[in-house]
């Protein structure tokens, strides 16, 4: 996969591969200011918790680039822009983590000039991006241990290159297996309403020559019953201190179905996805997105006009349905209570 | 709901409300010969096990109408046309039942003239149609008993007027509740890939002023977890002697999710859906349908070209996940082994 998040320091622009048009067309979305970044995140030009975080980092750089140093209020203005970025999506914790980290860096030198801050942030945003890719590769290696003999993996949504800095969490494990010469096949659940599985997971695996087949979300139980699924492997948007995991709507469905069929259910996520401030899944805010995503597929209307719809973007999978977490620091096995904190501290 | 299957004896035509264009447009599909009926069933102009059976009955009438009595081989030709109708879809047992019943009627008078057979079949096909509507109304009444205090019902696919002669099985229970003055709400699972829930269930309930809201299939577990589902109510395409039930892909998913959340899971189906010749779900053939239904929504391509997909049209829910069957003869409660045979014999 080519890089899908491209920041240019020379002209202070952020180019994003627009995921709304995939797989039909490869269009690029140009961000020059914070408003563009907000739009890119809210309209799902880029989605996926780690990718959102990376874009937020570069977004802070754009915020700095579009702030006027001669204005005596430039610091307040910049801070206000950072808040806007941090609040553009509610569920993924990576977004808050990255904005926090940019803010922390600034606070180490509160009297820094705007041009020096720009320079510092540029380095930091790239570092966050590169760290993500390295973390995913490390995570992929740990995932291999767990996968064992599994050759057919069901995944949900897109926890791949397009959801991260460029390698993938759940699909990072798949890429690691492929690199290791394993014979691995992926079933991509199509993931209504936004169809990230059908559109994005299938796209990036097909590009990387990894065997992939798309299934409607409705087919999951049948495929498990038929023995076509050795393991379920998903990403995460936020993991609470007790292990409850928010991820794309439909993940909780799959966790229950996997549990019933005694199929391991793995969550692959960088440690930045853990949110120790959030005690349990009950405390994770679940984003509700526009009805249009359900009532239409592309330009095709699929519900009668006027009929209301549900569009919760995420659900929470209780920790006790999760077989293990795969992180860049290693694997966390149940019981998770306490173990998560200890594990993260250790790293 | 207006009648969606209309047979005219005067000019030997069968008009079908074309469900492929709903809810966007109300187009009618005209059948004059068996080829048209095969196309209507295979291309899902009409779908739903009981509706398929009713169309098959009228299809036999068209077969007779387009057969030449002066041909000494007319009986063989007619029989061959009946086979073609019977084989147009593999999973729903009603189709076979109806063609069998038409055939039985013929066999009571093997020397009957073609014109007399036409007359006899016309009456029988209408009888089968009217029986279905009466059966659904009776079934609806029995369903009320079971529903009790349930006010929010999750349904899958379309087991409504459009799937039957005109009243509905699962939605027949809903209509009965509405008629009884109950405050009933329906969550229509959208039912990928063909979106019968989003397109058809929402359409017919909205038309009949019954509260309905569409949810992506992925949201089922979340909605159950939030207490938004009091009961799951689905139809069936074939029920084996042991109670294993073939129904639209995704039904087995819902049965597992309902079981996990201790929500009752009811199957509403006329007794013609039971197939005592089929011992268990293992023996029910599962139709695989064209990839196009998954790769496209309307004209919108949703998977990368070349990526293969799964399109099993049905799955089988094991009997032990089913809380009860609702039929026009009453309710069948577990344990089902033996009870189904006894119950059907009794009627």
């Amino acid at each position: 996969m080519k890089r899908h998040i491209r920041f240019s320091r020379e002209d202070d622009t952020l180019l994003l591969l627009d995921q709304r048009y995939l797989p039909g067309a490869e269009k690029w979305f140009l961000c020059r200011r914070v408003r563009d970044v907000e739009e890119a995140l809210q309209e799902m030009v880029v989605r996926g918790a780690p990718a959102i975080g990376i874009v937020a980092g570069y977004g802070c750089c754009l915020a700095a680039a579009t702030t006027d140093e001669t204005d005596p209020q430039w610091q307040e203005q910049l801070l206000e822009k950072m808040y806007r970025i941090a609040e553009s999506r509610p569920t993924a914790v990576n977004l808050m983590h990255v904005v926090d980290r940019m803010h922390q860096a600034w606070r180490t030198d509160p009297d820094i000039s705007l041009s020096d801050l720009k320079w510092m942030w540029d380095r930091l945003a790239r570092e966050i991006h590169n760290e993500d890719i390295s973390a995913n590769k490390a995570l992929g290696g740990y995932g291999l241990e767990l996968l064992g003999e599994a050759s057919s993996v069901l995944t949900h949504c897109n926890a791949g290159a397009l959801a991260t800095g460029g390698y993938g969490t759940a699909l990072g494990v798949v890429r690691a297996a492929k690199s290791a010469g394993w014979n691995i096949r992926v079933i991509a659940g199509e993931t209504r309403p936004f169809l990230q599985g059908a559109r994005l997971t299938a796209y990036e695996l097909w590009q990387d020559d990894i065997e992939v087949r798309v299934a409607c979300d409705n087919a999951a139980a049948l495929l498990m019953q038929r023995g076509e699924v050795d393991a379920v492997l998903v990403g995460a948007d936020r993991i609470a201190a007790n292990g409850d995991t928010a991820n794309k709507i439909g993940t909780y469905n799959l966790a229950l179905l996997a549990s019933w069929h005694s199929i391991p259910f793995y969550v692959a996520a960088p440690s930045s996805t853990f949110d120790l401030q959030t005690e349990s899944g009950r405390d994770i805010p679940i984003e509700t997105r526009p009805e249009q995503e359900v009532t239409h597929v592309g330009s095709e209307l699929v519900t009668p006009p006027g009929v209301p719809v549900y569009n919760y973007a995420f659900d929470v999978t209780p920790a006790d349905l999760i077989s293990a977490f795969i992180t860049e620091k290693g694997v966390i096995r149940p019981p998770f209570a306490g173990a998560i904190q200890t594990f993260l501290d250790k790293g």
Side-chain angles (χ1 to χ4, degrees), chain A:
Chain A
M1 269 290 302
K2 65 187 96 172
R3 280 223 167 188
H4 67 104
I5 301 173
R6 299 177 182 181
F7 182 66
S8 159
R9 199 191 158 187
E10 286 66 46
D11 54 1
D12 293 312
T13 56
L14 177 62
L15 270 176
L16 304 172
L17 179 58
D18 195 330
Q19 301 187 21
R20 298 172 301 179
Y21 298 104
L22 292 176
E26 291 185 3
K27 297 189 183 180
W28 293 83
F29 185 94
L30 174 66
C31 300
R32 288 188 180 279
R33 62 197 72 195
V34 168
R35 198 169 54 216
D36 305 328
V37 172
E38 284 178 293
E39 183 184 337
L41 296 182
Q42 283 164 359
E43 303 296 323
M44 311 241 275
V45 171
V46 170
R47 22 59 52 203
I52 289 171
I54 291 161
V55 168
Y58 292 129
C60 291
C61 296
L62 293 186
T66 53
T67 297
D68 178 5
E69 191 158 13
T70 63
D71 189 321
Q73 307 257 295
W74 71 262
Q75 284 149 318
E76 287 76 6
Q77 286 170 11
L78 184 52
L79 216 53
E80 192 266 334
K81 288 179 190 169
M82 292 176 77
Y83 282 128
R84 277 167 47 204
I85 295 171
E87 284 167 2
S88 53
R89 300 266 323 255
T91 303
V93 75
N94 314 56
L95 175 59
M96 283 156 40
H97 273 171
V98 168
V99 176
D100 245 28
R101 198 164 148 193
M102 303 296 280
H103 195 195
Q104 293 293 345
W106 184 6
R107 280 197 287 200
T108 58
D109 186 1
D111 299 325
I112 195 171
S113 70
L114 180 57
S115 54
D116 285 352
L117 178 63
K118 259 193 70 179
W119 185 84
M120 178 169 81
W121 271 4
D122 176 79
R123 277 190 48 194
L124 180 55
R126 284 177 199 283
E127 194 176 304
I128 288 168
H129 192 167
N130 290 328
E131 273 172 14
D132 179 79
I133 295 173
S134 309
N136 284 183
K137 288 184 175 167
L139 180 161
Y142 286 113
L144 278 192
E145 282 174 31
L146 269 186
L147 228 50
E149 298 298 298
S151 65
S152 176
V153 161
L154 171 65
T155 189
H156 191 58
C157 194
N158 171 264
L162 289 165
T164 61
Y167 191 74
T169 52
L171 299 190
V173 177
V174 169
R175 287 197 165 86
K178 173 81 173 178
S179 300
W182 294 19
N183 181 17
I184 190 133
R185 282 175 291 124
V186 175
I187 299 171
E190 66 171 13
T191 320
R192 277 283 287 153
F194 206 65
L195 296 166
Q196 292 94 334
R199 299 192 301 107
L200 308 178
T201 293
Y203 168 82
E204 64 167 89
L205 293 181
W206 186 251
Q207 286 223 328
D208 281 2
D209 207 21
I210 296 171
E211 193 179 337
V212 60
R213 197 160 174 182
V214 173
C216 292
D217 306 306
N218 274 333
L222 176 71
L223 295 175
M224 290 180 185
Q225 192 185 44
R226 294 198 162 206
E228 299 207 31
V229 179
D230 297 326
V232 178
L233 197 53
V234 300
D237 286 79
R238 190 189 301 204
I239 304 167
N242 73 341
D244 291 352
T245 296
N247 192 44
K248 182 52 52 195
I249 187 82
T251 303
Y252 173 41
N253 291 26
L254 289 179
L256 285 177
L257 303 180
S259 167
W260 187 280
H261 292 94
S262 304
I263 293 168
F265 181 89
Y266 300 123
V267 175
S271 53
S272 56
T273 316
F274 289 85
D275 178 18
L276 299 178
Q277 308 307 313
T278 299
E279 211 175 298
S280 79
R282 229 177 289 260
D283 309 313
I284 302 178
I286 298 294
E287 179 180 6
T288 299
R289 294 192 48 85
E291 296 211 337
Q292 169 102 5
E293 289 178 1
V294 174
T295 59
H296 288 70
V297 177
S299 57
E300 200 80 32
L301 177 72
V302 297
T303 55
V307 170
V309 304
Y310 291 95
N311 191 13
Y312 295 112
F314 302 93
D315 59 24
V316 173
T317 299
D320 57 9
L321 294 172
I322 296 168
S323 308
F325 292 100
I326 308 169
T327 81
E328 80 282 14
K329 298 177 178 179
V331 167
I332 315 178
R333 290 193 166 78
F336 300 121
I340 289 174
Q341 171 99 56
T342 314
F343 185 90
L344 294 177
D345 288 349
K346 191 182 69 183

